[in-house]
Amino acid sequence: MEYIVGTTEFSCEEACAVTLGKFDSLHRGHQRLIRRVRQLQREGLKGVVFTLNSNRSEVLLTGEERRSLLEDQGLSCLIECPFVPEISHMEPETFVSEILAGRLHAKYLVVGTDFHFGYQRKGDYRLLQDLQTKYGFQVEVIHKKKYEGKDISSTFVKEELKKGNMGVVNELLGRPYGIIGEVLHGRKIGRTLGMPTTNLIPEKEKLLPPNGVYASKTVIDGKMYPGITNIGYKPTVGESFRGVETYIFDFDQDLYGKTIEILLYTFERPEMKFDSLEKLKECMHRDIEFGKEYFGEQ
């Protein structure tokens, strides 16, 4: 996949099918747009995901995570355009003429009903429909996907994630909630307890569910391994940072320095402080039993 980030100097020579939006979680609604672009790509157009990047906090996807998911979709190109004044102050029709028609040679646009663009967000799908004959593209509008009668949105995902409702979160996303990071050296306390763990420190803007223990799977070189994950400060030993610590069942390979992904499936219990490492070990054994039962392991 071609990846263009951090510049307004981009262009595509081929005729493109473009979907535009925030794509800040790639939830099931976003996936509708992407599936349609993939279909148009198979029909001969270059499939492009176009999003505007601004300073973000509490993100559901880091840049690396979004790229990884879109690469798996087999799309031709991802453009993360910086939200700088020359873009943010552009009138809607100027954006259409200079960016969509001029630089991207868009022949097909796929957008949601809530898509807005241009200065003060004055442009929407209706304007695109009005301009399609003038600029030689076709517009397809995809309606919101719903979950239990409510529109699926990134705001909805965040609300449920902050409650620790991983079942609902994963239904909205159409996949388990993931955290990608590099395995770092920890204090090796898990190893002294006979349960070696991996430690990640997520990017600071990454939104995490409440501190506690979760049934999880770890993706290593494309393979998934079940386990349990603790999110938090490990109060029994005391950490100054909020980390993601995972025990992978029956696994003892050296992963230091390797980039892995942790997938969260369900919340088990809140993070707790124990009086001793022995008490922590006893609880970890119960956590492991919970995780193995959840994943149907003996």
Side-chain angles (χ1 to χ4, degrees):
M1 182 180 73
E2 182 182 4
Y3 175 51
I4 301 171
V5 63
T7 179
T8 58
E9 299 300 318
F10 53 81
S11 63
C12 294
E13 297 304 319
E14 308 99 310
C16 293
V18 184
T19 184
L20 304 101
K22 290 183 179 179
F23 301 105
D24 47 356
S25 64
L26 291 178
H27 55 59
R28 288 166 59 198
H30 293 146
Q31 290 166 34
R32 278 185 167 180
L33 305 176
I34 290 166
R35 280 197 299 271
R36 180 61 179 132
V37 170
R38 284 174 58 198
Q39 181 181 353
L40 293 162
Q41 184 173 283
R42 289 192 293 269
E43 295 171 6
L45 295 175
K46 181 174 183 176
V48 176
V49 173
F50 183 95
T51 185
L52 290 168
N53 260 5
S54 57
N55 293 327
R56 303 184 301 161
S57 60
E58 291 197 335
V59 301
L60 295 165
L61 287 176
T62 65
E64 180 182 6
E65 289 165 350
R66 179 163 58 186
R67 290 195 299 275
S68 177
L69 286 168
L70 290 175
E71 282 177 358
D72 290 343
Q73 295 290 324
L75 288 168
S76 299
C77 182
L78 167 62
I79 299 174
E80 295 182 356
C81 179
F83 195 57
V84 293
E86 66 184 276
I87 298 294
S88 63
H89 292 171
M90 193 175 281
E91 290 297 328
E93 186 168 352
T94 304
F95 179 84
V96 171
S97 63
E98 292 189 6
I99 303 295
L100 298 182
R103 298 192 201 175
L104 299 183
H105 300 100
K107 297 301 177 187
Y108 209 104
L109 300 179
V110 182
V111 296
T113 53
D114 59 347
F115 173 64
H116 290 82
F117 66 99
Y119 183 56
Q120 296 181 337
R121 291 169 51 84
K122 290 184 290 188
D124 60 10
Y125 75 88
R126 296 178 184 86
L127 177 62
L128 292 176
Q129 290 173 328
D130 291 342
L131 296 175
Q132 58 188 344
T133 301
K134 180 177 180 180
Y135 291 102
F137 54 73
Q138 184 176 343
V139 178
E140 182 172 346
V141 181
I142 306 291
H143 289 274
K144 286 275 193 180
K145 192 170 181 63
K146 294 182 180 290
Y147 174 79
E148 295 187 349
K150 185 175 179 179
D151 287 346
I152 294 178
S153 67
S154 295
T155 299
F156 190 3
V157 177
K158 287 182 178 181
E159 289 171 353
E160 297 301 319
L161 184 68
K162 289 178 179 180
K163 298 174 188 174
N165 293 337
M166 301 313 300
V168 177
V169 169
N170 296 346
E171 280 290 330
L172 298 176
L173 295 176
R175 65 182 186 279
Y177 190 69
I179 305 163
I180 290 179
E182 180 182 332
V183 179
L184 305 173
H185 286 281
R187 298 190 185 186
K188 297 184 172 62
I189 292 174
R191 188 169 294 277
T192 66
L193 298 176
M195 290 170 278
T197 58
T198 65
N199 290 274
L200 308 181
I201 301 178
E203 295 187 26
K204 62 182 180 180
E205 69 268 21
K206 175 73 174 182
L207 184 61
L208 298 177
N211 292 349
V213 177
Y214 296 79
S216 64
K217 289 187 179 180
T218 302
V219 183
I220 306 167
D221 296 329
K223 295 183 179 180
M224 292 200 296
Y225 301 86
I228 54 168
T229 293
N230 182 80
I231 294 176
Y233 295 91
K234 296 185 278 190
T236 303
V237 297
E239 293 285 10
S240 60
F241 57 87
R242 193 178 186 208
V244 177
E245 182 180 26
T246 300
Y247 172 71
I248 305 172
F249 302 150
D250 307 314
F251 185 94
D252 195 20
Q253 295 179 25
D254 184 0
L255 297 175
Y256 293 122
K258 198 173 190 66
T259 297
I260 63 174
E261 182 176 19
I262 307 298
L263 304 175
L264 303 178
Y265 283 79
T266 193
F267 176 80
E268 180 203 356
R269 63 169 177 85
E271 188 175 42
M272 302 165 62
K273 183 176 182 179
F274 298 93
D275 295 333
S276 66
L277 290 179
E278 190 60 34
K279 292 290 187 183
L280 171 61
K281 183 176 180 179
E282 290 174 7
C283 192
M284 285 184 68
H285 279 296
R286 292 193 295 271
D287 296 336
I288 290 168
E289 289 175 7
F290 171 86
K292 288 189 173 182
E293 183 176 342
Y294 179 82
F295 290 118
E297 294 198 358
Q298 301 300 319

